[in-house]
Structure formats: structure tokens, C-alpha cells
Amino acid sequence: MDEYCADLDPRNVHDLRYANLSHAHLSNADLSYTDLTSANLSHAHLSNADLSYTDLTSANLSHAHLSNADLFNADLTGSNLSYADLSNTDLRNADLTGADLTGADLTGARLDDADLKETMMNGASLVETRLYDTDLTNANLKNADCHNASFGNSNLSNADLTNVNLMFATFTDCSLCRVNLRHADLSAALLVHVDLTNVDLSEASFKDAILFRTNFKGANLTATRIGNTTFSNSNLQHAQGLEAIISRSPFDT
């Protein structure tokens, strides 16, 4: 689309359904409460834009520039955000159910109370991202970088976190039942009151991690790597592969 979109004043525009705004220059624009259902915003420049309460259902935001944008309470159900720059965005209360966030940059984003059920986040960056009261049920985060991310009271049941970088990550009061954490790196992570029932932790790393009141019941710990790891008041009942743990450290159960 031609760059005449740079002159678009969206303050009086509320119905942009199916609009073609590809490559549009809308940084700092006020698009709050706008209906952008199925709009094409691929490669659009939306840094610092106000998209709060905006309907972006099934919108194409692939490769869009959304750093520091306000997406509070936005509806992004089924949207395409692959390889989008969402660094430092406000996504609190946003609905991202079934969205495609493959390769997206969510560094420093706030996702408190967001709905991320069944999202595709393969290879996404969630470095220092905040996810409190977030629903990540059945989400796919294979190969994602969650270094130093914070999860609090979040539900990650049945999510796929294969080969995820969770170094220095924090989990508090979270459910990770039946999660696939095979090959995940949880070095120096902090887990407090986390449910890891029936989780696949084979070949994962817990070196220098602290695990307090964590439930490993039925978890697969085959070839899990530990060293200088603290297991305090944790439940290892019926955990599998305990005999195959590499670099044992004392369990305080």
C-alpha cells in the first residue's frame, strides 16, 4: 500500500474492517476502540500506537512494528503476529487465543491476564516478559527464548516447551501439568509451588535452580541434569527416571 497512509488520522476512524494498511506508517496513532477485523497490517509501523480495546480478530500483523504499543484488552483472536516486533508492548487482558506468534519478539512485554490458549509461539522471544494470571493452555513455545521471564499464577497445562530457554525464569503458583519440557534449560530458575505432574523433563537442565514446594508426581526425569540444585519440600513421588539423573545433588523433601 502507498505511504499516503501516513496522513491517515485514525482518531475519527472506528471501522477499518478488511482494510489494507500494509506497510502503513501509523506510529503514535490513536486506534483505540477501532474495528480492524481481518485488516492487513503486515509490515505496518505501529510503534507507540494506542490499540487498546481494538478488535484485531484474524488481522494480519506479520512483521509489524509494534514496540511500546498499547494493546490493553485488545482482541487478537486468530491473528497473524508472526515475526512481529512486540517488544515492551502492553498486552494485559488481551485475547490472543489461537494467534500465530511464530518468531515474534515479545521482549519486555506485559501479558498479565492475557489469554494465550493454543497460540503458536515457536522460536518467539519472551526475554524478561511478564506473564501473571496468563492462560497458556495448549500453547506451542518450542525453541522459544524465555530467559528471565516471570510467570505467576499462570496455567501452562499441556503446553509444548520443548527446547525452551528458561534460564533465570521465575514460576510462582503455576500449573504445568502434562507440559513437554524435554531439553528445556531451567538453569538458575526459581520454581515456587509449581505443579509439574506428569511433565516430560527428560534431558532438561535444573543446574543451580531452586525448587520449593514443587510437585514432580509422575514426571519423567530421565537424563535430567542437576548440579547445585535445591529441592525443598518438593514431591518426587512416582517420578520416573530418578536413577538416571545426571550430576546428582541432595534432595530435601
Side-chain angles (χ1 to χ4, degrees):
M1 185 169 183
D2 295 333
E3 290 191 2
Y4 73 82
C5 285
D7 299 323
L8 177 65
D9 182 355
R11 288 174 294 182
N12 299 316
V13 178
H14 294 286
D15 189 351
L16 289 169
R17 289 173 292 176
Y18 303 100
N20 183 5
L21 295 166
S22 178
H23 293 87
H25 291 265
L26 293 164
S27 297
N28 300 298
D30 184 356
L31 287 158
S32 56
Y33 294 95
T34 301
D35 189 350
L36 284 157
T37 301
S38 298
N40 182 5
L41 288 152
S42 60
H43 298 273
H45 296 267
L46 290 154
S47 299
N48 299 294
D50 186 352
L51 291 153
S52 57
Y53 297 93
T54 298
D55 191 347
L56 288 154
T57 304
S58 301
N60 182 3
L61 289 149
S62 62
H63 299 274
H65 305 276
L66 289 148
S67 58
N68 297 293
D70 184 355
L71 284 152
F72 179 82
N73 212 50
D75 190 348
L76 291 145
T77 305
S79 61
N80 181 0
L81 287 153
S82 57
Y83 303 100
D85 181 2
L86 291 153
S87 56
N88 300 305
T89 53
D90 185 353
L91 283 156
R92 291 173 300 154
N93 291 91
D95 190 347
L96 291 131
T97 303
D100 185 355
L101 288 148
T102 302
D105 185 359
L106 289 145
T107 301
R110 288 174 292 168
L111 286 154
D112 299 349
D113 297 294
D115 194 337
L116 291 158
K117 292 193 299 288
E118 300 180 354
T119 53
M120 297 291 293
M121 304 177 78
N122 310 53
S125 174
L126 288 90
V127 177
E128 298 183 348
T129 301
R130 179 183 166 98
L131 303 103
Y132 278 63
D133 299 296
T134 306
D135 192 346
L136 287 148
T137 306
N138 295 309
N140 187 338
L141 288 97
K142 281 184 180 179
N143 303 306
D145 186 356
C146 299
H147 183 99
N148 212 36
S150 298
F151 299 82
N153 198 38
S154 293
N155 187 0
L156 291 91
S157 298
N158 298 301
D160 190 346
L161 280 77
T162 305
N163 203 40
V164 171
N165 179 5
L166 288 160
M167 292 179 66
F168 297 98
T170 301
F171 291 86
T172 307
D173 297 309
C174 293
S175 175
L176 281 80
C177 295
R178 299 174 300 279
V179 167
N180 187 350
L181 277 160
R182 185 178 176 87
H183 293 288
D185 190 351
L186 290 121
S187 300
L190 172 64
L191 282 73
V192 179
H193 198 212
V194 174
D195 190 353
L196 291 167
T197 302
N198 297 320
V199 169
D200 185 357
L201 286 159
S202 55
E203 301 181 78
S205 176
F206 280 104
K207 291 181 179 179
D208 300 307
I210 298 174
L211 303 105
F212 178 71
R213 293 181 62 195
T214 298
N215 185 13
F216 287 90
K217 186 176 180 180
N220 182 3
L221 295 164
T222 303
T224 298
R225 296 182 298 280
I226 62 174
N228 196 34
T229 306
T230 301
F231 289 80
S232 181
N233 296 311
S234 294
N235 179 17
L236 288 153
Q237 185 179 16
H238 304 304
Q240 305 169 38
L242 290 174
E243 70 286 349
I245 285 180
I246 299 172
S247 299
R248 290 179 181 272
S249 67
F251 291 159
D252 178 9
T253 58

Short mmCIF file of all heavy atoms in Angstrom, two decimals, residues 159-191:
data_model
loop_
_atom_site.label_atom_id
_atom_site.label_comp_id
_atom_site.label_asym_id
_atom_site.label_seq_id
_atom_site.Cartn_x
_atom_site.Cartn_y
_atom_site.Cartn_z
N ALA A 159 1.05 -27.44 27.48
CA ALA A 159 1.84 -26.63 26.56
C ALA A 159 3.09 -27.38 26.12
O ALA A 159 3.56 -28.29 26.80
CB ALA A 159 2.23 -25.31 27.22
N ASP A 160 3.62 -27.00 24.96
CA ASP A 160 4.85 -27.61 24.45
C ASP A 160 5.99 -26.61 24.60
O ASP A 160 6.03 -25.59 23.91
CB ASP A 160 4.67 -27.99 22.97
CG ASP A 160 5.82 -28.85 22.46
OD1 ASP A 160 6.86 -28.93 23.13
OD2 ASP A 160 5.68 -29.44 21.36
N LEU A 161 6.88 -26.89 25.56
CA LEU A 161 8.04 -26.04 25.82
C LEU A 161 9.34 -26.79 25.50
O LEU A 161 10.36 -26.60 26.15
CB LEU A 161 8.05 -25.56 27.27
CG LEU A 161 7.13 -24.38 27.62
CD1 LEU A 161 5.68 -24.82 27.73
CD2 LEU A 161 7.56 -23.73 28.92
N THR A 162 9.29 -27.62 24.50
CA THR A 162 10.47 -28.37 24.10
C THR A 162 11.62 -27.43 23.74
O THR A 162 11.44 -26.48 22.97
CB THR A 162 10.16 -29.26 22.87
OG1 THR A 162 9.04 -30.09 23.17
CG2 THR A 162 11.36 -30.13 22.51
N ASN A 163 12.78 -27.69 24.32
CA ASN A 163 14.00 -26.95 23.98
C ASN A 163 13.88 -25.45 24.27
O ASN A 163 14.53 -24.64 23.60
CB ASN A 163 14.38 -27.18 22.51
CG ASN A 163 15.85 -26.93 22.25
OD1 ASN A 163 16.71 -27.29 23.04
ND2 ASN A 163 16.14 -26.28 21.12
N VAL A 164 13.07 -25.08 25.25
CA VAL A 164 12.90 -23.67 25.59
C VAL A 164 14.00 -23.21 26.54
O VAL A 164 14.41 -23.94 27.44
CB VAL A 164 11.52 -23.44 26.23
CG1 VAL A 164 11.39 -22.03 26.80
CG2 VAL A 164 10.42 -23.66 25.21
N ASN A 165 14.47 -21.98 26.35
CA ASN A 165 15.44 -21.38 27.25
C ASN A 165 14.69 -20.69 28.39
O ASN A 165 14.05 -19.66 28.18
CB ASN A 165 16.31 -20.37 26.50
CG ASN A 165 17.35 -19.70 27.42
OD1 ASN A 165 17.48 -20.06 28.59
ND2 ASN A 165 18.06 -18.73 26.89
N LEU A 166 14.77 -21.26 29.59
CA LEU A 166 14.10 -20.72 30.77
C LEU A 166 15.13 -20.37 31.85
O LEU A 166 14.80 -20.36 33.04
CB LEU A 166 13.08 -21.72 31.30
CG LEU A 166 11.80 -21.87 30.45
CD1 LEU A 166 11.11 -23.19 30.77
CD2 LEU A 166 10.86 -20.69 30.69
N MET A 167 16.33 -20.06 31.44
CA MET A 167 17.36 -19.69 32.41
C MET A 167 16.93 -18.45 33.19
O MET A 167 16.42 -17.48 32.62
CB MET A 167 18.68 -19.42 31.70
CG MET A 167 19.33 -20.64 31.07
SD MET A 167 20.89 -20.24 30.23
CE MET A 167 21.89 -19.74 31.65
N PHE A 168 17.07 -18.52 34.51
CA PHE A 168 16.73 -17.42 35.42
C PHE A 168 15.24 -17.06 35.40
O PHE A 168 14.84 -16.01 35.92
CB PHE A 168 17.57 -16.17 35.10
CG PHE A 168 19.05 -16.36 35.29
CD1 PHE A 168 19.87 -16.63 34.21
CD2 PHE A 168 19.62 -16.28 36.57
CE1 PHE A 168 21.24 -16.82 34.38
CE2 PHE A 168 20.98 -16.46 36.74
CZ PHE A 168 21.79 -16.73 35.64
N ALA A 169 14.42 -17.91 34.81
CA ALA A 169 12.98 -17.66 34.81
C ALA A 169 12.40 -17.91 36.20
O ALA A 169 12.96 -18.66 37.01
CB ALA A 169 12.28 -18.54 33.79
N THR A 170 11.25 -17.29 36.48
CA THR A 170 10.58 -17.45 37.75
C THR A 170 9.16 -17.96 37.53
O THR A 170 8.41 -17.41 36.72
CB THR A 170 10.51 -16.11 38.52
OG1 THR A 170 11.83 -15.62 38.73
CG2 THR A 170 9.82 -16.29 39.86
N PHE A 171 8.83 -19.05 38.24
CA PHE A 171 7.47 -19.60 38.22
C PHE A 171 6.94 -19.61 39.64
O PHE A 171 7.53 -20.23 40.53
CB PHE A 171 7.46 -21.03 37.68
CG PHE A 171 7.79 -21.18 36.21
CD1 PHE A 171 9.10 -21.27 35.79
CD2 PHE A 171 6.78 -21.22 35.26
CE1 PHE A 171 9.41 -21.40 34.44
CE2 PHE A 171 7.07 -21.36 33.92
CZ PHE A 171 8.39 -21.45 33.50
N THR A 172 5.82 -18.96 39.87
CA THR A 172 5.21 -18.94 41.20
C THR A 172 3.74 -19.33 41.09
O THR A 172 3.00 -18.73 40.30
CB THR A 172 5.31 -17.53 41.83
OG1 THR A 172 6.68 -17.11 41.81
CG2 THR A 172 4.81 -17.56 43.26
N ASP A 173 3.34 -20.36 41.84
CA ASP A 173 1.94 -20.81 41.87
C ASP A 173 1.40 -21.09 40.46
O ASP A 173 0.29 -20.69 40.11
CB ASP A 173 1.06 -19.76 42.56
CG ASP A 173 1.43 -19.55 44.02
OD1 ASP A 173 1.51 -20.56 44.75
OD2 ASP A 173 1.64 -18.40 44.41
N CYS A 174 2.18 -21.81 39.68
CA CYS A 174 1.79 -22.11 38.30
C CYS A 174 1.45 -23.59 38.12
O CYS A 174 1.98 -24.45 38.82
CB CYS A 174 2.92 -21.75 37.33
SG CYS A 174 3.26 -19.99 37.22
N SER A 175 0.59 -23.86 37.14
CA SER A 175 0.28 -25.24 36.77
C SER A 175 0.95 -25.56 35.43
O SER A 175 0.68 -24.89 34.43
CB SER A 175 -1.23 -25.44 36.65
OG SER A 175 -1.51 -26.75 36.16
N LEU A 176 1.81 -26.58 35.45
CA LEU A 176 2.47 -27.04 34.23
C LEU A 176 2.16 -28.52 34.00
O LEU A 176 2.97 -29.27 33.45
CB LEU A 176 3.98 -26.84 34.31
CG LEU A 176 4.52 -25.42 34.05
CD1 LEU A 176 4.37 -24.53 35.27
CD2 LEU A 176 5.97 -25.45 33.61
N CYS A 177 0.98 -28.94 34.38
CA CYS A 177 0.61 -30.34 34.22
C CYS A 177 0.72 -30.78 32.76
O CYS A 177 0.25 -30.11 31.86
CB CYS A 177 -0.83 -30.56 34.70
SG CYS A 177 -1.08 -30.27 36.45
N ARG A 178 1.38 -31.92 32.58
CA ARG A 178 1.48 -32.56 31.26
C ARG A 178 2.19 -31.69 30.23
O ARG A 178 2.00 -31.85 29.02
CB ARG A 178 0.09 -32.98 30.75
CG ARG A 178 -0.63 -33.99 31.65
CD ARG A 178 -2.04 -34.26 31.19
NE ARG A 178 -2.84 -33.03 31.20
CZ ARG A 178 -3.40 -32.52 32.29
NH1 ARG A 178 -3.24 -33.13 33.46
NH2 ARG A 178 -4.11 -31.41 32.23
N VAL A 179 3.02 -30.78 30.69
CA VAL A 179 3.81 -29.95 29.78
C VAL A 179 5.00 -30.74 29.24
O VAL A 179 5.57 -31.57 29.94
CB VAL A 179 4.29 -28.66 30.50
CG1 VAL A 179 5.36 -27.94 29.70
CG2 VAL A 179 3.11 -27.74 30.76
N ASN A 180 5.38 -30.46 28.01
CA ASN A 180 6.57 -31.07 27.43
C ASN A 180 7.73 -30.09 27.60
O ASN A 180 7.79 -29.05 26.94
CB ASN A 180 6.35 -31.37 25.94
CG ASN A 180 7.52 -32.16 25.34
OD1 ASN A 180 8.57 -32.32 25.96
ND2 ASN A 180 7.34 -32.66 24.13
N LEU A 181 8.64 -30.42 28.53
CA LEU A 181 9.82 -29.60 28.79
C LEU A 181 11.10 -30.35 28.42
O LEU A 181 12.18 -30.08 28.95
CB LEU A 181 9.86 -29.20 30.27
CG LEU A 181 9.01 -27.98 30.67
CD1 LEU A 181 8.75 -27.98 32.16
CD2 LEU A 181 9.68 -26.68 30.24
N ARG A 182 10.98 -31.26 27.50
CA ARG A 182 12.14 -32.04 27.06
C ARG A 182 13.22 -31.10 26.50
O ARG A 182 12.93 -30.19 25.72
CB ARG A 182 11.70 -33.04 26.00
CG ARG A 182 12.79 -33.99 25.53
CD ARG A 182 12.23 -34.98 24.51
NE ARG A 182 13.26 -35.84 23.97
CZ ARG A 182 13.66 -36.98 24.52
NH1 ARG A 182 13.11 -37.38 25.64
NH2 ARG A 182 14.60 -37.71 23.96
N HIS A 183 14.43 -31.29 26.96
CA HIS A 183 15.60 -30.49 26.52
C HIS A 183 15.52 -29.03 26.98
O HIS A 183 16.33 -28.21 26.55
CB HIS A 183 15.78 -30.53 25.00
CG HIS A 183 16.17 -31.86 24.45
ND1 HIS A 183 17.42 -32.41 24.63
CD2 HIS A 183 15.45 -32.76 23.73
CE1 HIS A 183 17.46 -33.60 24.03
NE2 HIS A 183 16.29 -33.83 23.49
N ALA A 184 14.55 -28.67 27.81
CA ALA A 184 14.45 -27.28 28.27
C ALA A 184 15.59 -26.94 29.23
O ALA A 184 16.07 -27.80 29.97
CB ALA A 184 13.11 -27.05 28.96
N ASP A 185 16.01 -25.69 29.21
CA ASP A 185 17.08 -25.23 30.09
C ASP A 185 16.48 -24.35 31.18
O ASP A 185 16.09 -23.21 30.94
CB ASP A 185 18.12 -24.45 29.30
CG ASP A 185 19.38 -24.16 30.11
OD1 ASP A 185 19.38 -24.41 31.34
OD2 ASP A 185 20.37 -23.67 29.53
N LEU A 186 16.39 -24.91 32.40
CA LEU A 186 15.88 -24.20 33.56
C LEU A 186 17.01 -23.86 34.54
O LEU A 186 16.78 -23.75 35.74
CB LEU A 186 14.79 -25.02 34.25
CG LEU A 186 13.48 -25.15 33.46
CD1 LEU A 186 13.16 -26.61 33.18
CD2 LEU A 186 12.34 -24.50 34.20
N SER A 187 18.19 -23.68 34.03
CA SER A 187 19.33 -23.36 34.89
C SER A 187 19.07 -22.06 35.64
O SER A 187 18.62 -21.06 35.05
CB SER A 187 20.60 -23.21 34.05
OG SER A 187 20.90 -24.40 33.37
N ALA A 188 19.32 -22.09 36.94
CA ALA A 188 19.17 -20.93 37.81
C ALA A 188 17.73 -20.40 37.86
O ALA A 188 17.49 -19.26 38.25
CB ALA A 188 20.12 -19.80 37.39
N ALA A 189 16.78 -21.24 37.46
CA ALA A 189 15.37 -20.84 37.55
C ALA A 189 14.88 -20.98 38.98
O ALA A 189 15.43 -21.72 39.79
CB ALA A 189 14.53 -21.69 36.61
N LEU A 190 13.80 -20.27 39.30
CA LEU A 190 13.16 -20.34 40.61
C LEU A 190 11.73 -20.82 40.42
O LEU A 190 10.94 -20.19 39.72
CB LEU A 190 13.17 -18.98 41.29
CG LEU A 190 12.37 -18.86 42.60
CD1 LEU A 190 12.96 -19.76 43.68
CD2 LEU A 190 12.32 -17.40 43.08
N LEU A 191 11.40 -21.97 41.04
CA LEU A 191 10.06 -22.53 40.97
C LEU A 191 9.50 -22.64 42.38
O LEU A 191 10.06 -23.34 43.23
CB LEU A 191 10.06 -23.91 40.31
CG LEU A 191 10.18 -23.97 38.76
CD1 LEU A 191 11.59 -23.62 38.31
CD2 LEU A 191 9.79 -25.35 38.25
#
